[in-house]
């Protein structure tokens, strides 16, 4: 028999035959504090600060319940090994890879990462949640787009997720990114997004990036394992934008293919194949500016649409009833809808590119608020003939020139 710490995780190897384990001891309750170790090893941030901890409670805990945790000097991502697939799962900020999510099962071990020598994790009773949790959602309001890319061979697969978040930086972000844990079995396939930070290139299973203003290149790290026939597919796009358009570059074959939701690319592993063979290209999104009506019933609003992809562009404008409002063919500069009435408009822009040749956007032109002026007068007291007052309330939307005359 051995004494184990209910706050720590363990790897245990079982023989193929059935095994019975007797566990005795007091069930942890109340507040549980876990000090996280940190050793500054080779100077690579991704290699330091890893701790295998455990859910000490006899119920599932919800990693996203802020009232149940204090996470000091540590990343927000969690990781666990899934023996059913031989792969590592990861979870952060509503996004998961594999069978792990925000609910951690009783006794489940999981990895966390300290980012310095003062790392500390505190769990309270408020962390508990109903349900069993993952034994081993999509993004928050600041995440505008997530794309799930899958590498597979028959029934064996691995995934990575990239997306765009208002709080993201170019490198690794502790609260919204997750490192890539490669399987110990080198025969299994793995895929990751490669992210540049100030010190090194970091493979990530979940990578959030700044919201792009232009097109973007997203390098992938693909490990094919022992397989020679493989598939890369776009397993899902969750976006606030209607015009997310991706292409996949196979640098070994000098080939570009579409990689939008549902698309799959089949490739063969050769002696020349390297981990950096594949690169994703994200097209710039359709940029539209709305200048709302300035005065009631002036119908002087304008909508300005930029081109999408390489010129020339064709612009098609329709109103909320689907009626054609304007059409421009072969444009090489912005297209402007002038004197637009208040309401909704859909803009479709097409180009002559082989891929990413169509983009849509729906915009609203808002009517100007009514011009309002409210005045309230107070009569002077008979004993104070000059103490009368006048209060004037002007609508904030307009610039006013105010003249008061005495009759």
């Amino acid at each position: 028999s051995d004494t184990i710490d209910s706050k720590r995780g363990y790897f245990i190897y079982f023989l193929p035959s059935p095994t019975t384990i007797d566990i005795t001891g007091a069930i942890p309750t109340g507040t549980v504090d876990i000090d996280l170790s940190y050793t500054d090893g080779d100077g690579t941030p991704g290699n330091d600060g890893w701790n295998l901890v455990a859910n000490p409670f006899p119920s599932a805990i919800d990693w996203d319940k802020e009232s149940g945790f204090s996470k000091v000097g540590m990343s927000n991502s969690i990781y666990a090994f899934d023996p059913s697939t031989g792969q590592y799962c990861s979870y952060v900020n509503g996004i998961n890879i594999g069978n792990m999510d925000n609910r951690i099962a009783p006794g489940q071990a999981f990895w966390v990462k300290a980012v310095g020598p003062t790392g500390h994790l505190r769990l309270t009773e408020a962390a508990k949640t109903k349900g069993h949790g993952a034994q081993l959602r999509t993004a928050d309001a600041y995440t505008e787009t997530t794309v799930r890319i899958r590498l597979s061979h028959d029934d064996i697969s691995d995934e990575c997720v990239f997306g765009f978040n208002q709080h993201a930086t170019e490198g690794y972000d502790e609260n919204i990114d997750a490192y890539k844990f490669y399987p110990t079995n080198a025969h299994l396939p793995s895929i990751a997004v490669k992210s540049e930070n100030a010190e090194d290139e970091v493979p990530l299973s979940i990578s959030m990036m700044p919201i792009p203003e232009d097109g973007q290149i997203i390098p992938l790290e693909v490990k094919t394992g022992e397989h020679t026939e493989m598939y890369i597919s776009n397993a899902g796009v969750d976006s606030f934008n209607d015009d997310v358009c991706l292409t996949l570059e196979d640098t070994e074959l000098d080939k570009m293919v579409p990689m939008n939701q549902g698309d799959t690319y089949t490739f063969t592993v050769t002696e020349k194949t390297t981990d950096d063979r594949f690169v994703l290209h994200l097209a710039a999104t359709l940029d539209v500016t709305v200048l709302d009506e300035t005065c009631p019933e002036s119908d002087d609003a304008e909508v300005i649409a930029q081109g999408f992809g390489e010129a020339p562009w064709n612009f098609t404008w329709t109103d909320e009833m689907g009626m054609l409002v304007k059409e421009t063919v072969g444009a090489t500069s912005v297209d402007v809808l002038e004197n637009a009435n208040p309401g909704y408009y859909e803009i479709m822009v097409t180009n002559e590119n082989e891929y990413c040749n169509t983009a849509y956007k729906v915009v609203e032109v808002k009517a100007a608020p009514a011009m309002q002026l409210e005045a309230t007068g107070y009569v002077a007291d008979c004993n104070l003939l000059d103490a009368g007052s006048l209060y004037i309330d002007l609508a904030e939307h307009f610039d006013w020139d105010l003249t008061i005359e005495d009759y």
Side-chain angles (χ1 to χ4, degrees):
S1 64
D2 294 299
T3 299
I4 62 174
D5 186 346
S6 62
K7 300 180 290 187
R8 299 293 174 183
Y10 299 86
F11 273 101
I12 303 174
Y13 177 75
F14 290 100
L15 295 172
S17 57
T19 303
T20 301
I21 299 178
D22 292 323
I23 301 176
T24 60
I27 297 175
T29 59
T31 298
V32 176
D33 288 293
I34 306 175
D35 290 323
L36 304 179
S37 64
Y38 180 87
T39 301
D40 191 356
D42 60 3
T44 303
N47 295 343
D48 304 322
W50 293 104
N51 290 257
L52 186 60
V53 300
N55 173 9
F57 295 132
S59 70
I61 55 176
D62 186 343
W63 188 250
D64 289 339
K65 288 181 70 174
E66 294 185 6
S67 61
F69 294 91
S70 172
K71 306 168 186 176
V72 177
M74 60 179 292
S75 296
N76 192 39
S77 50
I78 53 177
Y79 312 80
F81 179 72
D82 185 350
S84 67
T85 64
Q87 300 275 14
Y88 279 91
C89 307
S90 53
Y91 173 83
V92 65
N93 196 40
I95 303 173
N96 73 296
I97 298 293
N99 295 320
M100 191 173 203
D101 61 15
N102 56 304
R103 297 165 301 167
I104 303 171
Q108 172 65 47
F110 58 101
W111 290 95
V112 297
K113 186 180 186 304
V115 297
T118 60
H120 185 84
L121 175 63
R122 169 173 289 181
L123 303 84
T124 69
E125 292 285 330
K128 295 179 178 179
T129 186
K130 295 180 180 179
H132 298 293
Q135 283 287 3
L136 291 168
R137 279 181 11 166
T138 40
D140 65 357
Y142 299 103
T143 302
E144 292 201 355
T145 299
T146 58
V147 180
R148 188 174 295 269
I149 302 297
R150 180 177 296 150
L151 174 69
S152 60
H153 171 83
D154 294 337
D155 58 347
I156 300 173
S157 66
D158 189 31
E159 293 180 339
C160 63
V161 170
F162 72 88
F164 305 104
N165 186 291
Q166 296 175 27
H167 294 164
T169 66
E170 294 290 346
Y172 173 76
D173 295 298
E174 295 172 2
N175 291 321
I176 52 180
D177 290 338
Y179 285 99
K180 178 65 182 181
F181 269 46
Y182 289 108
T184 55
N185 184 349
H187 297 304
L188 294 174
S190 295
I191 187 169
V193 177
K194 292 199 291 188
S195 173
E196 294 280 356
N197 67 16
E199 288 142 358
D200 63 335
E201 192 174 74
V202 180
L204 301 176
S205 61
I206 300 170
S207 177
M208 293 294 109
M209 309 170 192
I211 297 169
E213 296 181 358
D214 301 310
Q216 187 158 341
I217 295 176
I218 303 166
L220 300 176
E221 186 165 271
V222 175
K223 298 180 182 293
T224 57
E226 63 180 0
H227 309 290
T228 56
E229 186 87 355
M230 301 290 295
Y231 309 92
I232 293 179
S233 59
N234 185 331
V237 177
D238 185 1
S239 178
F240 295 163
N241 294 317
D242 299 325
D243 54 354
V244 174
C245 188
L246 286 165
T247 54
L248 177 71
E249 179 183 3
D250 185 337
T251 62
E252 184 177 308
L253 301 181
D254 193 21
K255 183 178 182 181
M256 301 283 285
V257 296
M259 191 48 59
N260 297 309
Q261 183 163 314
D263 288 339
T264 297
Y265 176 64
T266 304
F267 68 97
T268 301
V269 180
T270 70
E271 294 181 353
K272 298 180 180 180
T273 298
T274 58
D275 292 350
D276 59 356
R277 174 175 172 175
F278 296 100
V279 178
L280 285 168
H281 295 260
L282 176 74
T285 58
L286 180 57
D287 186 9
V288 179
T289 302
V290 178
L291 303 177
D292 291 320
E293 187 180 53
T294 58
C295 292
E297 300 182 2
S298 62
D299 295 337
D300 61 350
E302 288 187 355
V303 184
I304 306 167
Q306 305 287 336
F308 176 77
E310 296 182 4
W313 305 297
N314 303 319
F315 295 85
T316 303
W317 303 74
T318 53
D319 62 18
E320 55 197 46
M321 302 301 293
M323 301 297 292
L324 180 65
V325 175
K326 181 183 179 183
E327 191 170 27
T328 304
V329 178
T332 57
S333 61
V334 299
D335 198 32
V336 181
L337 180 64
E338 298 177 327
N339 302 320
N341 297 323
Y344 289 91
Y345 296 88
E346 180 181 77
I347 307 106
M348 180 180 74
V349 182
T350 61
N351 58 50
E352 298 177 358
N353 301 339
E354 184 176 3
Y355 306 114
C356 298
N357 50 28
T358 305
Y360 299 86
K361 182 155 287 187
V362 176
V363 298
E364 180 187 9
V365 173
K366 296 180 180 178
M371 300 177 68
Q372 293 183 344
L373 183 152
E374 294 183 0
T376 305
Y378 295 90
V379 179
D381 186 276
C382 61
N383 295 321
L384 298 170
L385 296 179
D386 59 349
S389 58
L390 178 65
Y391 292 88
I392 301 175
D393 186 13
L394 305 175
E396 296 181 357
H397 182 77
F398 304 98
D399 294 326
W400 296 84
D401 293 325
L402 183 63
T403 301
I404 300 178
E405 297 183 357
D406 185 12
Y407 291 94

